[in-house]
Amino acid sequence: MARKSARSPLLLIAAVSFLAIVGAESPYRFFDWNVTYGDIYPLGVRQRGILIDGAFPGPDIHCVTNDNLIINVHNSLDEPFLLSWNGMQQRRNSFVDGVYGTTCPIPPGKNYTYILQAKDQIGSFYYFPSLNFHKAAGGFGGIRILSRPGIPVPFADPAGDYTILIGDWYKSNHTDLRAQLDGGHKLPLADGILINGRSSGYALTVEQGKTYRLRISNVGLQNSVNFRIQNHKMKLVEVEGTHTLQTTYSSLDVHLGQSYSVLFTADQPGQDYYIVVSSRWTAPILTTTGVLHYSNSAGPVSGPPPGGPTNQIDWSLNQARSIRSNLTASGPRPNPQGSYHYGMINLTRTIVLANSAGQVNGKQRYAVNSVSFVPADTPLKLADYFKIQGVFKENSISSNPTGGGVYLDTSVLTTDYRTFIEIVFQNDEDIVQSWHLDGYSFWVVGLDGGKWTTASRNQYNLRDAVSRSTTHVYPNSWTAIYIALDNVGMWNLRTEYWARQYLGQQFYLRVFTTSTSLRDEYPIPKNALLCGRAAGRRTRPM
């Protein structure tokens, strides 16, 4: 919940000015958060965690399509801090995306007010700290964007709606993990799995006969996980803002950075049942359990927790292919979300991205098309906006794999606004890869093993592919997506495998237009923090 506190005049003026620009009539919601360190014990040992208003995980953000979110973040840590908003598209406003390529960090002891709008979105997402490997210490929480009143939703209101944040976790503090990476070393297998910040003791109470919604996000660092509830089926209804065909599963693979909404009915005899989360494609398999507690329970959980898939790729591939858009459901607006016929639009460009690992100067690095990203001294969006020379070079990453060795650069790929492109993620490594693009949702049109070729398009789903912002790629496989580039800005395209992201497996997609119309991009926020070579520049009033 938002912490009630005095709102500064500057905060109110910035918010009102923003609403005047966007012509917003939607409500705005104020949040006032204090980010601190605190002792946490997720795996039974004391760690230094990152808390939001004293909570680990942090508080949920609840809002409605088009709501305006005014989030004042006080950084009480001893190092710079940023929050980013996984899946929120920041329409026309990449300045507030909350990654270092777009937004200056909040200095220790200072605060910054994010002014966001849940423009034309619904669904289940999460926020997280994007700098300095802070994600390994917490600082994350759920985001849910509800449909506006009067917009039909393709299922009845559930009896309860719960955020479930799952993922792998280390016993080491984030500073120790970061030091390992800075020293050029890989991280070992994580030490355990968490459910809402706990490796044991999580419980969800339900009433027999009622149906509930779970919004499940993998906020972990390096492993795909499988989620299941003993003796209960789950009906998938939404993926990262897209209503899906309501397919029923006994367990669900949730890859790094992904979010799913499922419905389940408490239709079993009144007792307790295991909630199980286990890692995929690891040795050993990491597992944690919680409890689904019936309010009329006659007894505790019994027997071993139900097993799940472990190393089976075909099982997971078939499940991924079964996840499709519900073309008859309404989206954020009254028009059907399936009315946009993406499969009938001519492609203007194909970009093929290959991930790789290698050594640079004797240290471990990770790359995209051979380029391992290094941050510049100034956020790239600010350098672009203020036309500061020498911060980055356009097209400093190739749009196809080069096959060369890994090298360092501040990689930016420029694309044209209002074009329709194809991106192919080629994974020639023995890991499951997961990719996220800020600012956008995209259609996952195909995925398969081996090398992608133009003939691979023959198996694309050009009718009802799911639209989402995070997609995965199986080992020695490819995944293809279509994107309508309708959101001007500087957008981070990154692996969700967090050690790899930290050591360079990311770049920025610069969606460019020569227009200065507010219909295409908002001006820099008046309250924007300015750092690096942008320090001292003047922002235009919003």
Side-chain angles (χ1 to χ4, degrees), residues 62-124:
H62 293 189
C63 61
V64 175
T65 300
N66 291 344
D67 277 0
N68 300 282
L69 309 179
I70 316 302
I71 306 173
N72 191 22
V73 178
H74 302 262
N75 178 14
S76 297
L77 308 183
D78 57 5
E79 56 184 348
F81 183 79
L82 271 179
L83 283 176
S84 191
W85 321 92
N86 219 63
M88 289 193 68
Q89 293 177 10
Q90 320 300 353
R91 303 294 300 176
R92 296 181 278 175
N93 195 19
S94 65
F95 293 105
V96 295
D97 196 38
V99 290
Y100 180 68
T102 64
T103 312
C104 288
I106 307 170
K110 303 295 184 181
N111 72 295
Y112 176 70
T113 301
Y114 293 89
I115 304 173
L116 317 175
Q117 189 181 26
K119 180 66 174 172
D120 293 338
Q121 287 191 264
I122 59 167
S124 308

Side-chain angles (χ1 to χ4, degrees), residues 346-364:
N346 292 329
L347 295 171
T348 56
R349 185 177 185 182
T350 295
I351 298 170
V352 181
L353 303 174
N355 49 271
S356 61
Q359 298 273 320
V360 177
N361 299 324
K363 292 186 175 183
Q364 182 66 48

Side-chain angles (χ1 to χ4, degrees), residues 278-352:
S278 57
S279 61
R280 295 284 267 124
W281 302 289
T282 64
I285 302 297
L286 304 175
T287 302
T288 194
T289 60
V291 173
L292 183 70
H293 172 70
Y294 277 54
S295 59
N296 63 340
S297 175
V301 293
S302 60
T310 54
N311 298 314
Q312 303 90 334
I313 289 179
D314 287 347
W315 182 95
S316 187
L317 175 63
N318 290 333
Q319 182 177 87
R321 286 174 171 166
S322 72
I323 299 172
R324 296 172 179 253
S325 294
N326 183 343
L327 299 184
T328 64
S330 291
R333 300 169 299 280
N335 58 297
Q337 64 179 15
S339 64
Y340 190 87
H341 297 297
Y342 68 92
M344 301 176 67
I345 302 172
N346 292 329
L347 295 171
T348 56
R349 185 177 185 182
T350 295
I351 298 170
V352 181

Side-chain angles (χ1 to χ4, degrees), residues 75-304:
N75 178 14
S76 297
L77 308 183
D78 57 5
E79 56 184 348
F81 183 79
L82 271 179
L83 283 176
S84 191
W85 321 92
N86 219 63
M88 289 193 68
Q89 293 177 10
Q90 320 300 353
R91 303 294 300 176
R92 296 181 278 175
N93 195 19
S94 65
F95 293 105
V96 295
D97 196 38
V99 290
Y100 180 68
T102 64
T103 312
C104 288
I106 307 170
K110 303 295 184 181
N111 72 295
Y112 176 70
T113 301
Y114 293 89
I115 304 173
L116 317 175
Q117 189 181 26
K119 180 66 174 172
D120 293 338
Q121 287 191 264
I122 59 167
S124 308
F125 311 100
Y126 65 92
Y127 61 86
F128 69 98
S130 61
L131 289 181
N132 296 327
F133 220 63
H134 286 156
K135 191 179 180 185
F140 44 73
I143 301 173
R144 64 181 69 174
I145 307 176
L146 304 177
S147 296
R148 289 182 293 166
I151 303 298
V153 175
F155 49 87
D157 287 343
D161 191 337
Y162 300 98
T163 295
I164 305 290
L165 303 177
I166 56 178
D168 52 14
W169 192 261
Y170 289 89
K171 292 180 180 178
S172 300
N173 287 331
H174 78 281
T175 50
D176 296 330
L177 297 172
R178 188 172 69 201
Q180 283 185 254
L181 296 172
D182 289 342
H185 305 292
K186 297 180 181 180
L187 293 185
L189 179 67
D191 296 306
I193 302 282
L194 304 186
I195 304 174
N196 284 354
R198 308 180 71 168
S199 59
S200 62
Y202 175 76
L204 177 63
T205 299
V206 296
E207 293 186 35
Q208 195 170 38
K210 293 187 176 181
T211 297
Y212 297 85
R213 181 175 185 171
L214 303 180
R215 300 173 185 262
I216 307 164
S217 295
N218 184 344
V219 297
L221 299 173
Q222 71 177 31
N223 290 306
S224 302
V225 294
N226 181 268
F227 181 90
R228 52 200 181 272
I229 305 174
Q230 183 182 26
N231 293 356
H232 290 73
K233 300 291 187 181
M234 298 177 291
K235 182 184 294 183
L236 185 66
V237 294
E238 177 256 329
V239 172
E240 296 165 21
T242 298
H243 292 306
T244 62
L245 290 180
Q246 295 185 10
T247 305
T248 298
Y249 302 101
S250 57
S251 72
L252 187 65
D253 275 356
V254 187
H255 304 278
L256 286 167
Q258 294 184 343
S259 298
Y260 293 90
S261 276
V262 300
L263 299 177
F264 77 93
T265 300
D267 56 3
Q268 296 299 303
Q271 65 176 65
D272 291 355
Y273 298 88
Y274 285 109
I275 299 171
V276 186
V277 184
S278 57
S279 61
R280 295 284 267 124
W281 302 289
T282 64
I285 302 297
L286 304 175
T287 302
T288 194
T289 60
V291 173
L292 183 70
H293 172 70
Y294 277 54
S295 59
N296 63 340
S297 175
V301 293
S302 60

Side-chain angles (χ1 to χ4, degrees), residues 487-504:
N487 195 12
V488 173
M490 188 79 71
W491 302 109
N492 189 221
L493 198 163
R494 62 178 177 267
T495 179
E496 291 285 357
Y497 194 131
W498 215 241
R500 286 174 167 253
Q501 180 271 352
Y502 183 80
L503 292 181

